[in-house]
C-alpha cells in the first residue's frame, strides 16, 4: 500500500476523530492490521472483523460511525451485504474496497448507496480523505434529521377530526406529485402548515421552501419581489435582486393570500407558470426556473373570478388540487388535543412546568368560537402560560385570559333538544378529562369520580368508544 508523507497526518487529522469508530470488514488480516495502524495514527478508533457475519454482529454495538467493506468476503459478497447495511444502519456511511475494480462495479456501488469505492492498493491520503468526507457527510445528514425532528412539533398537524384526517390524506396523495395545490381556509387555520408538509414530503424537500405573502407587499413592489429586478430598473434599485422565484429554484414557492394579487401580476404569474421562465424587472432576457408553486387564500376565488377580480385561466392553473382547512369551530373534538399540544410545546420552549386545565375550563374552550382559529389558540396558550402564577387553570382563569369579548364569541348555544345539549356537554367534559389524564381512562375516571367501567359505558353510549 502506498503511503504519503508524515505531513499528511497533520493536514487530515480530525480533532474529533477519537469519537469516530471505523469498522473494517475484510478477510485479509494483514491488510486489516495495516489499515488499523494508519487510522489509529490519524486518531480513529478501529475494529476489524473478517466475515460479513462478524461485521453485522459488530454493528449491533451502536458505536460504529463508518464501515470499510471488502468486495469479496468468505461468507457473503460485499455487494450483496451493502444493501442490508444501508437498510439497517442508514446513518452509517459505507466505503467499498476491492482488489479488482471496474467502472461498472463503481457505478453499481454508487447506485446501491456506497459513499465511495476504493481500489486496492490505495494511497493513505485517498483513504483518509474519503473517510473524513464520509463522516462529515454523515454528520450533516444527522444534524439535518435532528433539525427536522426539532421542527416536527412546530409543523405538526394535530387532530383526529374527519376534516383534519381528510387534509392529511390529501397531503399524502399529492405531496410527491409535482402539481400545483391551492390551499383554502380562514385566517389562522394553518395553511402554511399544509404548504410546508407538502414540501417536506416531496422530492424537493432538500431544496428551499420560500414563502411570500402577496397581501403584505405594495402592488408596485410585488413584481420585483416575485421575479427580481436588475440594477437601475427603477428608482431605488441600486443593486440587482434575484426575486423569490429564483431563490426557490428546484424547491417550493408558497404564495400566500394569492387572492390579493392585482390583474397585472396575475398575468405575469400565469406566463411564468406556463413557460417555466421568469423575467426580471428591467431585463429582456428570460431565465429558466424550476419551481413548484403552492398557493393559499382565505377568499372565495370562484366568486372573485365571477366578479372579474381574478383570472379564470390562472385559477384553473393553480387549482389542480384543492385542500380546504376547516375552521376550528368545525373541529371541536380536536380542541382538547390542541390545547394539550400547545401547553406542552410552550412549556418545553420556555422551560416551565406545563399547566393543568380543569375539565370545566376545557369544556368552556371547546364551546368558544375561536374566530382566529388555531393561531388564536396558540397565542392564548402562550399568554396563559406566561402570565398565570399557579399550575392549575380553572374556568374563571380561562374567562379572564380570553377577555370580555369571549362572551360574545361563545359558540356552544346550538339549537337542539335538551338531550342533545346534555350529550354534547358530557362528551366535551369527558374529552377534557381524558386530555388532562394523557389519554389514561383509569386516571380520567378517578378525576371524574366514577368507576372506570361506568366511564367506558358512558363513552360507548355517547359514541366515543373509538376515541
Amino acid at each position: 500500500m502506498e503511503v504519503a508523507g508524515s505531513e499528511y497526518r497533520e493536514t487530515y487529522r480530525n480533532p474529533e476523530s477519537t469519537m469516530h469508530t471505523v469498522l473494517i470488514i475484510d478477510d485479509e488480516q494483514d491488510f486489516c492490521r495495516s489499515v488499523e495502524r494508519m487510522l489509529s495514527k490519524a486518531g480513529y478508533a478501529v475494529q476489524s472483523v473478517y466475515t460479513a457475519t462478524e461485521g453485522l454482529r459488530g454493528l449491533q454495538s451502536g458505536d460504529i460511525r463508518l464501515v470499510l467493506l471488502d468486495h469479496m468476503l468468505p461468507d457473503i459478497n460485499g455487494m450483496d451485504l451493502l444493501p442490508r447495511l444501508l437498510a439497517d444502519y442508514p446513518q452509517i456511511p459505507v466505503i467499498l474496497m476491492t482488489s479488482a475494480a471496474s467502472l461498472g462495479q463503481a457505478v453499481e456501488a454508487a447506485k446501491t448507496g456506497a459513499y465511495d469505492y476504493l481500489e486496492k492498493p490505495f494511497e493513505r491520503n485517498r483513504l483518509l480523505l474519503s473517510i473524513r468526507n464520509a463522516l462529515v457527510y454523515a454528520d450533516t445528514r444527522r444534524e439535518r434529521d435532528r433539525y427536522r425532528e426539532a421542527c416536527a412539533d412546530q409543523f405538526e398537524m394535530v387532530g383526529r377530526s374527519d376534516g383534519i384526517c381528510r387534509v392529511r390524506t390529501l397531503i399524502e396523495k399529492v405531496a410527491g406529485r409535482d402539481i400545483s395545490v391551492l390551499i383554502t381556509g380562514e385566517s389562522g387555520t394553518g395553511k402554511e402548515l399544509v404548504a410546508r408538509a407538502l414540501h417536506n414530503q416531496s422530492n424537493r424537500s432538500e431544496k428551499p421552501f420560500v414563502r411570500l405573502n402577496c397581501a403584505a407587499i405594495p402592488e408596485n413592489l410585488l413584481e420585483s419581489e416575485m421575479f427580481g429586478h436588475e440594477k437601475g430598473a427603477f428608482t431605488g434599485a441600486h443593486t440587482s435582486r434575484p426575486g423569490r422565484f429564483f431563490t426557490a429554484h428546484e424547491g417550493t414557492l408558497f404564495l400566500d393570500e394569492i387572492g390579493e394579487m392585482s390583474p397585472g401580476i396575475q398575468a405575469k404569474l400565469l406566463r411564468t407558470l406556463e413557460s417555466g421562465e421568469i423575467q426580471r424587472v428591467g431585463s429582456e432576457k428570460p431565465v429558466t426556473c424550476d419551481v413548484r408553486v403552492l398557493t393559499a387564500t382565505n377568499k372565495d376565488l370562484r366568486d372573485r373570478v365571477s366578479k372579474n377580480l381574478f383570472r379564470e385561466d390562472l385559477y384553473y392553473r393553480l387549482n389542480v388540487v384543492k385542500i380546504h382547512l376547516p375552521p376550528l369551530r368545525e373541529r371541536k373534538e380536536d380542541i382538547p388535543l390542541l390545547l394539550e399540544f400547545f401547553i406542552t410545546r410552550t412549556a418545553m420552549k420556555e422551560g416551565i412546568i406545563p399547566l393543568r386545565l380543569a375539565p370545566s375550563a376545557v369544556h368552556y374552550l371547546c364551546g368558544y368560537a375561536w374566530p382566529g382559529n388555531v393561531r388564536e389558540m396558540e397565542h392564548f396558550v402562550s399568554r396563559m402560560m406566561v402570565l398565570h402564577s399557579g399550575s392549575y387553570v380553572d374556568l374563571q382563569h380561562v374567562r379572564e385570559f380570553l377577555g370580555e369579548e369571549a362572551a360574545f364569541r361563545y359558540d356552544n348555544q346550538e339549537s337542539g333538544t335538551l338531550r342533545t345539549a346534555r350529550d354534547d356537554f358530557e362528551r366535551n367534559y369527558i374529552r377534557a378529562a381524558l386530555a388532562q389524564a394523557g389519554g389514561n381512562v383509569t386516571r380520567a375516571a378517578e378525576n371524574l369520580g366514577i368507576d372506570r367501567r361506568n366511564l367506558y359505558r358512558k363513552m360507548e353510549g355517547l359514541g366515543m368508544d373509538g376515541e
Side-chain angles (χ1 to χ4, degrees), residues 197-260:
L198 288 167
H199 172 75
N200 291 339
Q201 297 178 38
S202 73
N203 296 329
R204 298 176 180 265
S205 60
E206 301 291 330
K207 301 299 182 179
F209 176 88
V210 179
R211 176 183 179 271
L212 176 62
N213 187 331
C214 300
I217 298 174
E219 181 181 340
N220 61 325
L221 298 178
L222 185 57
E223 181 183 1
S224 168
E225 193 68 31
M226 287 178 64
F227 306 112
H229 63 256
E230 297 294 340
K231 180 179 178 180
F234 50 84
T235 303
H238 302 298
T239 60
S240 60
R241 186 170 184 176
R244 301 294 178 94
F245 261 95
F246 191 81
T247 304
H249 180 59
E250 296 186 339
T252 302
L253 176 62
F254 174 50
L255 299 176
D256 200 3
E257 304 300 347
I258 191 73
E260 304 297 331

Side-chain angles (χ1 to χ4, degrees), residues 40 70 391:
S40 297
D70 188 40
S391 61

Side-chain angles (χ1 to χ4, degrees), residues 80-349:
D80 294 332
L81 179 61
L82 178 60
R84 180 173 175 182
L85 295 182
L86 297 174
D88 293 347
Y89 305 96
Q91 297 291 349
I92 300 178
V94 179
I95 296 174
L96 203 64
M97 307 176 296
T98 184
S99 299
S102 71
L103 179 60
Q105 288 175 333
V107 171
E108 183 182 357
K111 285 183 177 179
T112 305
Y115 178 80
D116 203 354
Y117 191 94
L118 301 179
E119 181 181 2
K120 300 177 183 176
F122 38 73
E123 295 182 356
R124 177 163 57 182
N125 61 346
R126 176 73 173 88
L127 173 63
L128 294 181
L129 180 61
S130 181
I131 289 176
R132 189 194 67 167
N133 290 343
L135 289 171
V136 169
Y137 170 75
D139 286 343
T140 302
R141 288 187 60 187
R142 206 171 284 112
E143 188 63 30
R144 180 201 65 191
D145 291 343
R146 279 197 293 266
Y147 173 77
R148 285 182 173 176
E149 289 175 7
C151 292
D153 282 350
Q154 182 181 355
F155 303 125
E156 185 176 348
M157 205 166 296
V158 177
R160 295 186 305 217
S161 63
D162 290 343
I164 211 67
C165 287
R166 283 193 295 270
V167 170
R168 285 199 195 96
T169 299
L170 277 171
I171 290 173
E172 291 173 2
K173 286 183 177 180
V174 305
R177 308 289 298 275
D178 218 18
I179 56 178
S180 299
V181 179
L182 175 64
I183 307 164
T184 63
E186 296 178 6
S187 293
T189 50
K191 295 186 289 294
E192 184 176 349
L193 198 71
V194 173
R196 288 187 179 275
L198 288 167
H199 172 75
N200 291 339
Q201 297 178 38
S202 73
N203 296 329
R204 298 176 180 265
S205 60
E206 301 291 330
K207 301 299 182 179
F209 176 88
V210 179
R211 176 183 179 271
L212 176 62
N213 187 331
C214 300
I217 298 174
E219 181 181 340
N220 61 325
L221 298 178
L222 185 57
E223 181 183 1
S224 168
E225 193 68 31
M226 287 178 64
F227 306 112
H229 63 256
E230 297 294 340
K231 180 179 178 180
F234 50 84
T235 303
H238 302 298
T239 60
S240 60
R241 186 170 184 176
R244 301 294 178 94
F245 261 95
F246 191 81
T247 304
H249 180 59
E250 296 186 339
T252 302
L253 176 62
F254 174 50
L255 299 176
D256 200 3
E257 304 300 347
I258 191 73
E260 304 297 331
M261 190 176 286
S262 68
I265 303 297
Q266 290 178 36
K268 294 177 180 178
L269 173 60
L270 177 64
R271 186 164 60 247
T272 294
L273 295 175
E274 290 177 339
S275 67
E277 295 178 338
I278 59 172
Q279 190 164 333
R280 295 176 182 172
V281 177
S283 173
E284 299 295 328
K285 183 180 178 182
V287 179
T288 301
C289 196
D290 173 23
V291 175
R292 182 187 190 183
V293 175
L294 306 176
T295 54
T297 182
N298 59 7
K299 307 289 186 184
D300 183 349
L301 288 191
R302 282 299 309 166
D303 179 64
R304 294 181 74 81
V305 167
S306 67
K307 295 177 180 177
N308 294 321
L309 296 174
F310 200 85
R311 293 180 63 108
E312 186 173 25
D313 47 3
L314 178 59
Y315 171 75
Y316 287 118
R317 183 83 189 190
L318 300 175
N319 190 27
V320 178
V321 173
K322 181 166 77 173
I323 297 180
H324 178 71
L325 276 165
L328 194 50
R329 63 182 175 275
E330 294 179 7
R331 41 182 291 223
K332 291 185 178 181
E333 60 266 48
D334 292 337
I335 289 176
L337 296 173
L338 283 162
L339 287 167
E340 189 71 21
F341 170 78
F342 285 128
I343 287 172
T344 302
R345 194 179 76 175
T346 304
M348 293 178 63
K349 181 180 178 181

Side-chain angles (χ1 to χ4, degrees), residues 395-409:
L395 177 57
Q396 184 58 35
H397 294 136
V398 163
R399 285 175 170 158
E400 291 173 359
F401 283 115
L402 280 177
E404 295 180 0
E405 70 277 8
F408 300 99
R409 296 174 178 171

Side-chain angles (χ1 to χ4, degrees), residues 4-112:
S6 60
E7 70 279 2
Y8 177 81
R9 290 200 301 273
E10 296 303 320
T11 305
Y12 288 92
R13 178 180 292 274
N14 186 333
E16 297 182 357
S17 61
T18 52
M19 300 170 58
H20 299 148
T21 300
V22 177
L23 177 65
I24 305 172
I25 308 177
D26 194 307
D27 60 338
E28 297 181 40
Q29 296 188 23
D30 290 340
F31 171 81
C32 289
R33 283 192 288 270
S34 175
V35 175
E36 283 177 14
R37 288 193 297 270
M38 179 197 310
L39 296 184
S40 297
K41 289 179 181 179
Y44 294 98
V46 188
Q47 296 179 19
S48 292
V49 295
Y50 310 119
T51 66
T53 303
E54 291 174 327
L56 291 171
R57 191 179 303 122
L59 282 162
Q60 293 175 0
S61 68
D63 298 327
I64 306 303
R65 297 292 298 276
L66 181 139
V67 174
L68 293 175
L69 175 64
D70 188 40
H71 186 276
M72 297 299 296
L73 295 169
D75 50 349
I76 302 176
N77 184 284
M79 285 298 295
D80 294 332
L81 179 61
L82 178 60
R84 180 173 175 182
L85 295 182
L86 297 174
D88 293 347
Y89 305 96
Q91 297 291 349
I92 300 178
V94 179
I95 296 174
L96 203 64
M97 307 176 296
T98 184
S99 299
S102 71
L103 179 60
Q105 288 175 333
V107 171
E108 183 182 357
K111 285 183 177 179
T112 305

